[in-house]
Amino acid sequence: MISKGREKAAASLPPRERLLNSAAKLFYKEGVQAVGIERLLEDADTAKASLYSNFGSKDALVTAYLEREGLATVQKVEGRLAATPGSPRDKILKLFDMLNERCGEKNFRGCPFQNAAAEITDPKHPGRAVIEKQQEWMTELLRGLVVAAGFSAQPLTGALVALYSGAIAGAMVDSSGAGAKAARWAAERLLEDAARSGPPPRAASAPSTRS
C-alpha cells in the first residue's frame, strides 16, 4: 500500500516525470500497445495537454520511456561490474549472476526492450532505434569482456549474447528461474572451452620493405 507521504511526493512531481513514471509502470506490466493515452493520463493524474506539450505523441512517450530504461540499465549493470573484483571472465559470469537475480524478482515481466520490440513492428517508429541501441550496448559490453579475457571476439560473443537474451525470454514462460541458471552454467562451459582452445591467433606481421 502506498503511503500518503509517497502519494504527495509523486503528485508534486512535474507532469513530465509523472507521465514517465506511469509509462514505466504500465508499459512494463501491460505492454506499450495495450495501455492507451487515457489510462496513462489517469494514472499520472495529468491533462492530455501535458502529454502533448512534453512529448508530442504517445510514440514519443514510448521512446522516452525506453531511453530512460536504457540509461538506468546501463548505469546499474556497468556500476555493478565496476565494483566486481576479479578478471574479465569473472565479470562475464557476474552478468549472468545478475540475470539470475533479475529473473527471480517478484515483479519480473521480461526485458522491457524485448517486450517493446515484439509490439513495435513499424521499423520507422523512433523506439526501434532505442531498442537496437540497447542491444548494441549489451553486445559491445560482452565483446569487450571477451577480448579482455584473451579470447577471440567471435563466435564467443554471439553465443553469450544469445544465451543472455534467450534466458530472459524463457523466464517469461518458466517462472522457476531454471533457464537463467542453465544459461549461467552454459556460459561457464563456453568460457572453459574457449580457454582450452587457447588464445586467438596473432595477426601476421607485414613483410619488411627495407632492402
Side-chain angles (χ1 to χ4, degrees), residues 15 91 203:
K91 293 179 187 290

Side-chain angles (χ1 to χ4, degrees), residues 42-119:
E42 180 182 0
D43 190 84
D45 190 24
T46 190
K48 186 176 291 187
S50 294
L51 170 65
Y52 291 107
S53 65
N54 282 283
F55 300 100
S57 66
K58 181 187 172 185
D59 284 351
L61 174 59
V62 170
T63 303
Y65 148 70
L66 290 171
E67 287 173 341
R68 192 171 79 162
E69 290 295 311
L71 179 60
T73 299
V74 169
Q75 290 176 338
K76 180 179 180 179
V77 170
E78 292 187 351
R80 289 191 64 180
L81 288 182
T84 298
S87 65
R89 177 187 179 278
D90 295 329
K91 293 179 187 290
I92 292 171
L93 294 177
K94 180 65 176 180
L95 267 176
F96 285 86
D97 290 335
M98 291 165 61
L99 178 63
N100 268 286
E101 293 173 15
R102 184 180 177 193
C103 291
E105 292 173 355
K106 186 176 181 180
N107 63 345
F108 176 76
R109 291 191 59 79
C111 168
F113 303 97
Q114 288 184 359
N115 297 346
E119 293 189 81

Side-chain angles (χ1 to χ4, degrees), residues 6 19 33 38 43 45 47 58 65 67-68 70 77 80 85 93 123-124 127 137 142 174 179-180 191 200 208:
R6 289 178 63 186
L19 284 163
Q33 299 293 354
E38 295 302 325
D43 190 84
D45 190 24
K58 181 187 172 185
Y65 148 70
E67 287 173 341
R68 192 171 79 162
V77 170
R80 289 191 64 180
L93 294 177
K124 295 181 180 180
W137 164 75
L142 277 167
D174 180 8
L191 292 168
S208 175

